[in-house]
């Protein structure tokens, strides 16, 4: 079974190259090999490669930059997934696509369910929601996996930023009024692999089509996430942390206050997801041993 992965150099794309081993003939392409900004290239690649499953790990993920780059964000996050879904439909293939907690406005008291009303606060969130809707409209076999607060040992993310800042700073002020589930890229890649292992063929995936929340269990704030990172024994001199509100760290894009997503649907269908702090410990252990 041929599996095409886009965004090979991203956090999730990189983790997928390891987790998908043994599950098929995996072709993972980076931006230089497959540019989502170019629909013709996408159509040609899909028709030439004829994958049974396409995993779209590429996205415009620069949340703040998207505020002043709306056309490109929509091109990559909404138009490209539509083309991938159209081509998947044409081939009888299945599309696995990632979306985000930022489709929600953060106003709910409890954890967000898959069918809760969406109301993104940012261009990025709107572009990702448009991608979800485009895929559903096309009607190909599709699983849209919404995840949150992605980190890992590869790429740009909160964990690596904190580790770098620890080398130069004695004190850090970290936002404490946004709540979510930090999710290791390895967890997302493993969850994706378990979908393919369990459901396998596109026809089976078609029966499972829809949106799934895929993030670590439990929740914390960015401040709590930073505290957990700096509790790692490998950090010689952890900076002193000060909690601040979002107002104290203004950014071009607004973020949801409550990003916590309910993952029961994924667990019922495909199995367990780790607690965020356990996954962080695993990730940091991997960093120490590498
Ligand atoms: N990061 C998060 O906190 C977060 C949270 C919730 C949901 N998600 C979603 O999870 C998925 C994976 O995100 P991630 O964290 O792995 O993102 P990432 O590390 O930023 O990786 C995104 C990848 O997309 C590639 N890309 C961007 N524009 C492209 C284009 N025009 N053509 C081809 N590739 C292009 C980038 O290529 P280059 O390497 O060349 O730049 C990069 O490799 C995305 O759908 C994202 O929206 C992420």
């Amino acid at each position: 079974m041929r599996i095409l992965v886009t965004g090979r150099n991203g956090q999730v794309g990189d983790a997928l190259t390891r987790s998908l081993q043994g599950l098929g003939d995996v072709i993972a392409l980076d931006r230089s090999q497959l540019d989502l900004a170019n629909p013709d290239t996408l159509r040609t690649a899909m028709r030439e490669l004829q994958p049974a499953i396409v995993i779209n790990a590429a996205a415009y993920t620069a949340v703040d930059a998207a505020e002043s780059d709306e056309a490109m964000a929509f091109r990559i996050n909404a138009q490209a997934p539509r083309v991938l879904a159209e081509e998947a439909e044409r081939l009888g293939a299945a599309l696995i696509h990632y979306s985000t907690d930022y489709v929600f406005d953060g106003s709910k008291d409890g954890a967000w369910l898959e069918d809760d009303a969406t109301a993104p606060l940012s261009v990025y969130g709107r572009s990702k929601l448009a991608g979800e809707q485009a895929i559903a409209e096309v009607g190909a076999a599709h699983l849209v996996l919404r995840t949150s607060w992605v980190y890992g040992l590869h790429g740009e993310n909160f964990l690596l930023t904190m580790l770098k800042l620890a080398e130069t700073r004695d004190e850090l002020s970290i936002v404490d009024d946004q709540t979510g589930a930090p999710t290791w890229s390895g967890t997302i890649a493993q969850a994706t692999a378990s979908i393919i292992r369990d459901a396998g063929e596109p026809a089976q995936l078609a029966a499972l089509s829809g949106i799934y929340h895929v993030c670590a269990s439990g929740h914390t704030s960015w401040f709590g996430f930073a505290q957990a990172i700096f509790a790692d024994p490998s950090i010689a001199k952890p900076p002193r942390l000060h909690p601040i509100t979002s107002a104290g760290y203004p950014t071009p894009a607004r973020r949801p206050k409550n990003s916590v997503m309910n993952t029961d649907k994924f667990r019922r269908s495909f199995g367990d997801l780790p607690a965020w702090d356990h996954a962080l410990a695993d990730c940091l252990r991997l960093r120490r041993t590498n």
Side-chain angles (χ1 to χ4, degrees), residues 10-12 31 34-36 58-59 61 98-99 124 128 147 150:
Q11 300 187 74
V12 174
R31 189 202 295 247
L34 188 60
D35 184 358
L36 267 68
T61 55
Y98 302 100
S99 192
Y124 167 75
K128 293 294 292 183
T147 190
V150 182

Side-chain angles (χ1 to χ4, degrees), residues 7-15 31 57 59-65 102 124 148-164 183-185 188 222 225 229 249 255 283:
R8 191 228 172 288
N9 283 340
Q11 300 187 74
V12 174
D14 176 70
R31 189 202 295 247
Y60 187 115
T61 55
V63 175
D64 289 314
Y102 285 12
Y124 167 75
S148 64
W149 296 24
V150 182
Y151 68 89
L153 300 177
H154 173 92
E156 284 178 32
N157 57 65
F158 186 82
L159 168 66
L160 293 182
T161 302
M162 289 299 117
L163 293 174
K164 203 162 182 52
T183 304
W184 185 19
S185 54
I188 301 165
W222 293 109
F225 188 18
I229 292 167
Y249 187 71
R255 270 102 171 140
C283 175

Side-chain angles (χ1 to χ4, degrees), residues 71-88:
M72 187 54 86
F74 271 77
R75 192 166 176 164
I76 294 165
N77 290 344
Q79 287 152 20
R82 178 185 291 279
V83 172
L84 289 174
E86 286 171 355
E87 291 301 316

Side-chain angles (χ1 to χ4, degrees), residues 40-258:
D40 290 340
T41 316
L42 284 185
R43 290 196 193 282
T44 307
M46 287 288 286
R47 289 175 197 196
E48 278 177 4
L49 297 170
Q50 304 208 344
I53 298 175
V54 188
I55 306 180
N56 182 29
Y60 187 115
T61 55
V63 175
D64 289 314
E67 291 298 306
S68 52
D69 197 12
E70 183 162 350
M72 187 54 86
F74 271 77
R75 192 166 176 164
I76 294 165
N77 290 344
Q79 287 152 20
R82 178 185 291 279
V83 172
L84 289 174
E86 286 171 355
E87 291 301 316
E89 171 81 340
R90 199 170 173 273
L91 291 171
L95 172 62
I96 300 180
H97 173 81
Y98 302 100
S99 192
T100 172
D101 50 332
Y102 285 12
V103 297
F104 296 117
D105 67 7
S107 62
K108 191 174 174 177
D109 277 338
W112 295 94
L113 296 165
E114 282 79 356
D115 54 3
D116 275 338
T118 51
L121 300 174
S122 62
V123 168
Y124 167 75
R126 288 207 308 278
S127 71
K128 293 294 292 183
L129 178 60
E132 292 184 1
Q133 291 166 341
I135 291 168
E137 273 165 32
V138 172
H142 66 275
L143 279 82
V144 171
L145 311 181
R146 285 188 190 137
T147 190
S148 64
W149 296 24
V150 182
Y151 68 89
L153 300 177
H154 173 92
E156 284 178 32
N157 57 65
F158 186 82
L159 168 66
L160 293 182
T161 302
M162 289 299 117
L163 293 174
K164 203 162 182 52
L165 287 171
E167 291 169 10
T168 54
R169 301 272 289 274
D170 297 327
E171 305 199 16
L172 289 173
S173 296
I174 309 287
V175 170
D176 195 30
D177 63 353
Q178 293 169 25
T179 306
T183 304
W184 185 19
S185 54
T187 299
I188 301 165
Q190 286 296 341
T192 307
S194 62
I195 291 171
I196 295 174
R197 209 173 289 118
D198 291 359
E201 302 296 316
Q204 277 174 279
L205 289 168
L208 295 162
S209 279
I211 297 175
Y212 295 81
H213 290 170
V214 178
C215 52
S217 65
H219 55 80
T220 186
S221 67
W222 293 109
F223 178 77
F225 188 18
Q227 280 183 314
I229 292 167
F230 292 131
D232 188 70
S234 71
I235 296 163
K237 203 165 77 60
R240 195 166 331 121
L241 298 177
H242 304 286
I244 57 167
T245 65
S246 307
Y249 187 71
T251 52
R254 285 174 67 206
R255 270 102 171 140
K257 287 269 186 255
N258 173 25

